[in-house]
Amino acid sequence: MPGPGSDHLNGLDPRAPLVLDTRELGRRPGSQRQVSLTVPAPADLGIEVLSVPEGAPVELDLRLEAVMEGVLITGSAAATLEGECVRCLEPIRDEFEVRFQELFVYDDIRDSAEAEEDDEVSMLEDDLVDLEPLLRDAVVLALPFQPLCQDDCPGLCSECGVRLLEQPDHVHEEAIDPRWKALTTLTDEAQHDPTD
Ligand SMILES: [Zn+2]
Ligand SMILES: [Zn+2]
């Protein structure tokens, strides 16, 4: 239960799993702190075809370092990805690790109006850091746009939909009738783009 006076609507929730309190670090440039924690994955961590299931553990290893302007966070996140091969639709399950680094600027050094215009700048809010956008960006950037079960996945048979990795030698008895084959070739040539 949030206590009286808690004001989570207008700021970061210090109890949220991906919100980090940097107060212990202090503001003396050069001071450092190592933080290791496991957090539940937020929803939609990844891309449509490959993502970390919501609630699955994400292991974070972070180094917090006080610098003149704010807190520099360097770290890595490790988790399990689930998705499917875009060619053969086979489920994919893969361990992955991403590294990231971000400077969070003290909100009392940079005024927030200025910062709002520049969304490249990450800000601390009352010494709290929201790691979620950082984690999200790092994960999405690290993922392949077209996940494959293996690099040379041959996909599915265009005639019957069987997964060709499982039946690499599979052929169809009903090969195209040679008479039709001649016609197919003609059609292919006719459809060839003349500007190509
Ligand atoms: Zn595949
Ligand atoms: Zn087939």
Side-chain angles (χ1 to χ4, degrees):
M1 287 282 282
S6 64
D7 190 16
H8 298 151
L9 291 176
N10 296 320
L12 295 173
D13 180 353
R15 297 165 313 159
L18 281 162
V19 171
L20 217 63
D21 195 337
T22 68
R23 224 158 304 182
E24 251 181 70
L25 181 66
R27 288 199 175 190
R28 193 170 50 84
S31 66
Q32 292 190 10
R33 202 157 75 90
Q34 291 287 140
V35 179
S36 291
L37 69 165
T38 303
V39 299
D44 306 316
L45 182 59
I47 55 178
E48 199 181 341
V49 281
L50 195 62
S51 62
V52 183
E54 184 175 356
V58 179
E59 286 173 34
L60 299 172
D61 267 308
L62 309 168
R63 193 188 70 206
L64 281 59
E65 186 183 351
V67 294
M68 289 302 287
E69 274 192 291
V71 177
L72 182 67
I73 296 188
T74 310
S76 64
T80 302
L81 288 166
E82 287 181 13
E84 60 184 28
C85 173
V86 294
R87 287 190 198 149
C88 72
L89 311 180
E90 188 73 0
I92 296 176
R93 215 179 135 82
D94 204 7
E95 307 288 321
F96 88 116
E97 186 174 324
V98 283
R99 305 195 61 78
F100 46 80
Q101 184 171 61
E102 182 87 0
L103 173 65
F104 289 84
V105 177
Y106 295 127
D107 53 357
D108 44 17
I109 286 185
R110 179 94 61 123
D111 73 81
S112 48
E114 185 190 337
E116 258 170 47
E117 281 172 25
D118 184 1
D119 21 285
E120 298 294 304
V121 178
S122 299
M123 305 283 293
L124 283 152
E125 289 179 34
D126 295 330
D127 293 308
L128 298 176
V129 161
D130 184 8
L131 292 173
E132 189 171 326
L134 178 59
L135 178 64
R136 238 173 237 295
D137 289 354
V139 169
V140 169
L141 279 174
L143 294 183
F145 286 112
Q146 306 261 294
L148 298 171
C149 59
Q150 60 181 58
D151 285 345
D152 56 351
C153 171
L156 302 173
C157 170
S158 57
E159 282 189 54
C160 69
V162 94
R163 190 172 174 241
L164 294 174
L165 266 180
E166 280 157 8
Q167 298 188 39
D169 300 325
H170 123 175
V171 283
H172 286 269
E173 295 301 326
E174 310 265 313
I176 299 174
D177 183 308
R179 286 168 296 172
W180 287 111
K181 196 165 187 176
L183 192 60
T184 312
T185 314
L186 280 176
T187 315
D188 281 347
E189 276 166 13
Q191 284 174 347
H192 189 80
D193 186 351
T195 60
D196 197 339

